[in-house]
Every structure is written in C-alpha cells, then in structure tokens.
C-alpha cells in the first residue's frame, strides 16, 4: 500500500483530499507542504513561518502504543512553533476517536473552544464539523490560532480546488468563525480515563 492508500483507508472520505490535490501541494508548495513517511507512519504537514499544521497523521496498527506518534510530534515541537490540527467531534462510542484524543491530550494539546469550523465536503456534499486542537510553545491565544487556521485553509485546503475538483470549497469566512462565547465543551473534559 502506498502512503495515499494508507491515509485513504484510515480517514473518512469527507476529510480526505484527493491524491491529485496532495501531489500538487507536494510539488507546487514543496517549500510549505511536506510528507514524512516510513513503513510505520505517514505524516502530512504544512510549515509556515509562524506555525505548523498537521494535515494527516497515520501510524500502522502494529506500531500504535510504541511511541511512534510521540516521536513525530516531538520532532515537530522542536521547530518551536505552534502546532494546529483538526479532529472530528468526539464520538464517545468510537474508540479510535477517544484514543486519538487521549494521545493529543498526553502530548499537551489544548482544544480551541472559541473556534468554530464546519466545511462542506466536496466528496459527499455534507457539512463536516471539526474541532481545532493546538499546542503552543509561546502561549498563543485562541484568536491567534484562528488567524493561523484561516491562512492554512486558504493556502492548503482550498489550493487550486476548482481546478482539481471542478468546484470550490466555501470561502474561509463561511467555514471558520471565532467567538469567545461560543457554546463548546472542552472535548478533553469528558474523556474517560483509560482503564
């Protein structure tokens, strides 16, 4: 299985970019968009001057729980920039969701409760609400993370979208919102501790 097949098998269709989109980002935005892979992992991320965005991270089933994910995050933390990523809303019946959240909680990520994020999938035409997690070495505010997310959305997610998919994603102001009073529970609070 190649790197794209691994990601495509693991992530829901509404969260996946096409292979063409990712290849184009790697080729045309190779100074910003990167692929880090081994037989045990695939990490797709964007590195901007002031932050990093994790687009996808996959760790093989037989490597989970062995520190592979931790090493990948540590490598990114050494760049001394905020790290931002998207996760699907918590489904307490889905053990993968809970495991992912436990992992990011252990790695010191916070939930950006003031940031709303809901993008219509071009693959399914359904709204895909996501939550934003971030780690910051310099205590960036959620408002600063929001501004960074807007840049990432415009530079990475919607890059040549009409050319690739035949139609465009929604504009950033329809997808991302910032509201300090947003009604959002901290997704880490209701996580059941692992037995």
């Amino acid at each position: 299985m190649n790197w794209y097949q691994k990601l495509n098998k693991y992530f829901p269709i509404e969260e996946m970019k096409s292979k063409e989109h990712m290849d184009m980002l790697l080729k045309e935005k190779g100074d910003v968009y990167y692929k880090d892979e081994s037989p045990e992992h695939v990490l797709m991320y964007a590195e901007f001057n002031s932050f990093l965005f994790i687009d996808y991270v996959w760790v093989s089933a037989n490597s989970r729980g062995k520190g592979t994910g931790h090493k990948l995050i540590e490598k990114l933390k050494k760049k001394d920039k905020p790290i931002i990523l998207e996760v699907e809303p918590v489904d307490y019946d889905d053990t993968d969701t809970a495991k992912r959240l436990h992992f990011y909680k252990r790695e010191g990520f916070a939930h950006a409760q003031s940031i709303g994020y809901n993008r219509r999938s071009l693959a399914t035409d359904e709204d895909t609400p996501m939550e934003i997690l971030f780690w910051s070495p310099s205590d960036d505010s959620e408002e600063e993370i929001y501004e960074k997310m807007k840049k990432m959305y415009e530079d990475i997610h919607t890059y040549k979208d009409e050319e690739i998919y035949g139609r465009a994603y929604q504009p950033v102001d329809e997808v991302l919102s910032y509201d300090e009073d947003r009604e959002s529970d901290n997704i880490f609070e209701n996580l059941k501790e692992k037995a």
Side-chain angles (χ1 to χ4, degrees):
M1 238 187 318
N2 70 29
W3 62 271
Y4 186 79
Q5 291 167 319
K6 291 172 184 174
L7 294 176
N8 204 32
K9 196 173 170 188
Y10 185 70
F11 287 93
I13 186 170
E14 59 272 10
E15 292 177 31
M16 279 302 295
K17 290 177 177 61
S18 70
K19 176 120 179 12
E20 181 186 1
H21 189 173
M22 293 171 86
D23 283 340
M24 203 175 273
L25 284 166
L26 289 165
K27 184 179 177 194
E28 298 177 13
K29 290 214 168 237
D31 58 332
V32 174
Y33 197 77
Y34 301 95
K35 174 178 62 172
D36 177 335
E37 73 173 314
S38 76
E40 285 77 43
H41 80 277
V42 178
L43 169 65
M44 308 299 290
Y45 69 98
E47 181 173 2
F48 297 93
N49 289 336
S50 63
F51 71 101
L52 293 149
F53 174 75
I54 297 176
D55 204 4
Y56 301 97
V57 63
W58 170 87
V59 174
S60 69
N62 60 352
S63 294
R64 289 188 197 136
K66 296 181 180 173
T68 305
H70 173 72
K71 286 178 192 151
L72 293 172
I73 297 296
E74 281 302 306
K75 197 157 107 176
L76 294 180
K77 283 180 177 178
K78 285 185 178 146
K79 295 175 182 283
D80 205 35
K81 299 176 184 181
I83 302 169
I84 306 170
L85 59 97
E86 306 161 359
V87 293
E88 57 268 21
V90 188
D91 177 352
Y92 293 105
D93 298 323
D94 177 359
T95 56
D96 267 0
T97 307
K99 284 178 186 170
R100 260 192 299 279
L101 288 174
H102 277 291
F103 170 75
Y104 287 116
K105 184 178 182 181
R106 276 195 314 274
E107 295 299 326
F109 281 75
H111 176 209
Q113 292 172 252
S114 304
I115 302 175
Y117 183 59
N118 192 350
R119 177 174 69 159
R120 191 174 319 103
S121 165
L122 294 182
T124 64
D125 214 30
E126 292 177 16
D127 283 350
T128 308
M130 301 289 273
E131 297 294 337
I132 307 301
L133 301 183
F134 69 99
W135 173 87
S136 174
S138 53
D139 292 329
D140 282 53
S141 69
E142 289 190 16
E143 193 166 9
E144 289 170 301
I145 296 300
Y146 167 69
E147 292 301 328
K148 291 169 171 47
M149 267 301 290
K150 282 172 45 173
K151 176 168 180 49
M152 181 288 305
Y153 180 82
E154 292 181 321
D155 287 10
I156 301 299
H157 282 351
T158 63
Y159 183 69
K160 294 194 173 178
D161 51 358
E162 284 191 75
E163 180 183 323
I164 297 163
Y165 301 104
R167 56 195 179 126
Y169 280 109
Q170 302 134 280
V172 68
D173 292 335
E174 277 182 30
V175 172
L176 280 157
S177 60
Y178 177 79
D179 179 2
E180 286 181 16
D181 300 320
R182 179 177 172 243
E183 293 291 320
S184 169
D185 292 331
N186 185 330
I187 58 176
F188 290 126
E189 276 179 11
N190 295 321
L191 265 186
K192 294 180 181 82
E193 289 306 314
K194 286 205 249 179

